[in-house]
Amino acid sequence: MAHLRLVHTREPERLRFSFRYLDTTHPAFDISRCGREYLRVLLARLRELSLLSPEEFRARRSGTLRIHPIRFGEDRLTVHSFGVLGIEADKTAWQFSLSANEHGRVHGFLLGDTFFIRWLDPEHNLYPGN
């Protein structure tokens, strides 16, 4: 009788998401205007991005994902308004799109393999001219 030998292989590190630092009170990122379709698209995008490693997330430059660091200043919100005190996170704030031309963006920061969602931005308020 052949014995089955289990080989434990380590799963590659994948991107995780947290809402621990989600700011739902900032007037520019009021989520009360987010409808059912927005929630469906948000969850689908989070599921898709959770297949990436944190390194792949940082390097991905897809047209529909539009993952890139946030450039604060230039009459926009300052990095201090984004910051969360008392944590050692990636010093760069990031954003990604929910879809190609609608549903806005998600803004947050990386700590290890976790993307902490700070703001949901369905109306493109961080970059209103774009």
Side-chain angles (χ1 to χ4, degrees):
M1 176 190 234
H3 292 291
L4 183 61
R5 181 179 168 167
L6 297 176
V7 177
H8 184 59
T9 59
R10 188 164 187 241
E11 286 284 322
E13 188 177 72
R14 297 288 177 218
L15 192 63
R16 299 169 189 246
F17 292 91
S18 173
F19 292 93
R20 177 182 289 173
Y21 299 109
L22 179 64
D23 179 0
T24 60
T25 62
H26 195 293
F29 308 108
D30 181 4
I31 65 169
S32 67
R33 295 183 296 261
C34 299
R36 202 177 299 199
E37 178 65 6
Y38 180 86
L39 180 60
R40 185 193 68 72
V41 172
L42 171 66
L43 293 175
R45 180 63 83 198
L46 295 180
R47 181 184 62 223
E48 176 186 345
L49 290 173
S50 70
L51 298 174
L52 300 176
S53 71
E55 293 75 27
E56 290 170 325
F57 176 84
R58 286 182 184 97
R60 183 68 52 110
R61 295 296 179 259
S62 158
T64 56
L65 288 176
R66 293 187 180 114
I67 298 171
H68 63 81
I70 297 171
R71 294 178 310 275
F72 287 103
E74 303 168 20
D75 296 327
R76 297 190 180 103
L77 300 169
T78 67
V79 71
H80 300 292
S81 65
F82 182 83
V84 177
L85 298 177
I87 60 167
E88 280 297 317
D90 183 332
K91 299 297 183 206
T92 305
W94 292 87
Q95 76 169 19
F96 59 86
S97 290
L98 293 185
S99 59
N101 295 313
E102 57 184 321
H103 302 298
R105 309 278 189 274
V106 173
H107 310 290
F109 58 92
L110 288 164
L111 179 58
D113 65 351
T114 304
F115 184 93
F116 288 90
I117 296 172
R118 184 68 173 146
W119 295 322
L120 300 176
D121 188 6
E123 298 177 347
H124 303 269
N125 287 328
L126 186 61
Y127 293 104
N130 294 349

